[in-house]
Structure formats: structure tokens, C-alpha cells
Amino acid sequence: MIKVAHVCTSSFSHKILVDKLTLLKQRGYDIHLVSSKEGYNEKLMQNYDFKLHFIHMNRKIHVLDDVVSIFHMVRLFRKEKYQIVHTHTAKAGIIGRVAGRLAGVPVVIHTSHGLPFYEGQSKLKYYTYRFLEKIGAWFCDAIASQNREDMKKIEQYAPRQRVYYEGNGVDLSKLDDRNKHISCEQITALKDRLGIPNDQKVILVGARFEPVKDHFFLLEGIKRVKEQHRSDFVCLLAGDGPLREQIQQQIKDDRLSDVVKIIGFQTDIYPYIKMADLIVLTSEKEGVPRIIMEAMAFSKPVVATDVLGTRELVVDGETGVS
């Protein structure tokens, strides 16, 4: 049995990985998940049989913290004798690839879920993150991208590296089955629990509370809609993350508490998708966003920013509005 470590920066990313990793486990791979404990959801992981290892990783660039994280990861990789290390997300991608090489892991692979440098950033951030990705490319055997647009950038900064298109997807048969079995009574009960009148339109945003998801841009848009004397809607923010308190404060400062509700991380997002009249995503960039694919599978209209990754799904006027 081939032993594989999948490495992501925080436990928030477990949700986007576990279904894919379940398929690999069914094919005979021994799957381990390595991440920091930030965002760990015990309820979610009870449904999956993966060996978990927690190693602190600072989301920001912090040389001392990063060196310590590499040291602990090298020690883990040598102890577990992994045959493959597969890294995900930006910080884990650097730390995990360097640690994999130093630990002598035979195969080291990285998947980009949207490169950390992208249009709209300051030049300093853009070229710093690009340089770090270039360093990371020296320490792996192959790089995969969830979207085709990023592949061109990867080929530019890592011309000798093997680059593959990984894409992203959802299980349509599973989603069709869930859609069919969510009853009108369940939706009514969910609205009652959330205090949403039946005649009120529901906007759903499913995204981690972190800068790249740009909830503040969303709140500015909702504020303008409300100022136009439209308050016959409620916007539900599903998710959690480091910006939760700031987002709560912004909702309060903008006097949006009557139209914006934070509902937290949802292990089962599908009843909320079925309840929603509109799905919105205001990210600055994406890999290929699952929430939009899930919304489309439920035949829900989508409004999203015209950014990397998202535009592979949302064609303005055809599959949504961007």
C-alpha cells in the first residue's frame, strides 16, 4: 500500500480535500492529512477515516516560524516513511515541498488551488509570492493546477517542471440525490430556525472568512442595495476563518445586521443551497470554486466576481453573472 501525506496549511482546507482523498483511499492508498489545527472540525472528520497530523504553520511569511515548521515536518516525514508527499495551498506548498525533499521522500507533488500571486495585488506581494512559488518548484517533481489560466504562469516561472491540469469537480449523482431528498418541509423548518420569512429572498455566500474571499467587497455591495430601499432579502454567510470578528464588526458598523446573518461553518451546505434564491461569490481569485459547481448542480443562479478560476465556470449571461 502506497503511503501518502496530503499537506495543507490549515484544517479549514480539509473540507475541500476529503471527498477526493476518499476516492484515493478506496483505490488502496494509505492517506494521511497534515495541517495546522486551525479550523479543525471534529464533526466533519468523524465521517472520514484518515490519519491526522497537526503541525503549526503560520499563514503569513515568518522566517523563524517557517523554519520550525519545516523541521517538524521533516521529522514527521522521516518517521512515517511516506512514499508520496502531495502539498496544497500556498504556505503548506512551500513548507511541505522543502520538507519533503529534505526528508528524502521519493515523490513530491504540489497542487495549486489558485496561485497566491494574481491580478489586483500590490507589486510587492505579487513578485514576493511569485518568487516563493519559483523556489517551491525547485523542491518537487510535478505541479498540478486546478485551473488552466494558472498553468501558463506556472510554465513561465518553472519552465523545466512538469505541469498538469487537475481541475475540480463534484459528484453530480450524489448532489442530485441530496437535492431530491431535501423536502419543502425541511426548507420551511430551516427558514423558521433562522427567522427568515417565507416571502424574503435568500442570498447564500459559502466561503472561508479570509482576505482572498473579500467579504468586505460583498458587504459594500449589500450596503448599496439596502440604501436603494431594498431590504426584502437576507444574505447568509456560511463559513468560518480568521476574519470572522472583523466581518461581524463591519456588519454592525454598516447597520446590516437585519439583512446579513453569519451562520458559520456548515458540514452539510446542501439544504442552504436549496433554500437560496441566489448564490454569490466575491473572491479575488479561486482555483475552481466548488460552491459554484454545487449551486449550478442545484440549478441556482450565480453572481460572482470576474476573476481567476471563477471565470472558468461563470460565463457572463450564460452560466451566471460576473
Side-chain angles (χ1 to χ4, degrees), residues 97 101 106-110 137 140-145 151 154-155 158-165:
R97 280 182 279 182
R101 272 290 175 262
V107 178
V108 179
I109 304 167
H110 176 65
C140 64
D141 300 291
I143 302 173
S145 174
M151 291 179 70
I154 296 169
E155 288 164 354
R160 295 184 178 85
Q161 189 57 271
R162 286 172 285 188
V163 182
Y164 300 97
Y165 175 65

Side-chain angles (χ1 to χ4, degrees), residues 170-181 297:
V170 292
D171 187 334
L172 289 176
S173 60
K174 176 183 175 182
L175 292 183
D176 287 344
D177 184 66
R178 288 290 288 116
N179 192 0
K180 184 172 64 176
H181 286 93

Side-chain angles (χ1 to χ4, degrees), residues 295-312:
M296 290 175 171
F298 275 69
S299 301
K300 297 295 180 177
V302 174
V303 173
T305 42
D306 181 12
V307 296
L308 175 75
T310 299
R311 54 177 161 250
E312 290 196 9

Side-chain angles (χ1 to χ4, degrees), residues 148-161:
R148 296 189 185 279
E149 197 173 333
D150 271 342
M151 291 179 70
K152 298 173 184 177
K153 297 177 186 176
I154 296 169
E155 288 164 354
Q156 288 173 354
Y157 72 70
R160 295 184 178 85
Q161 189 57 271

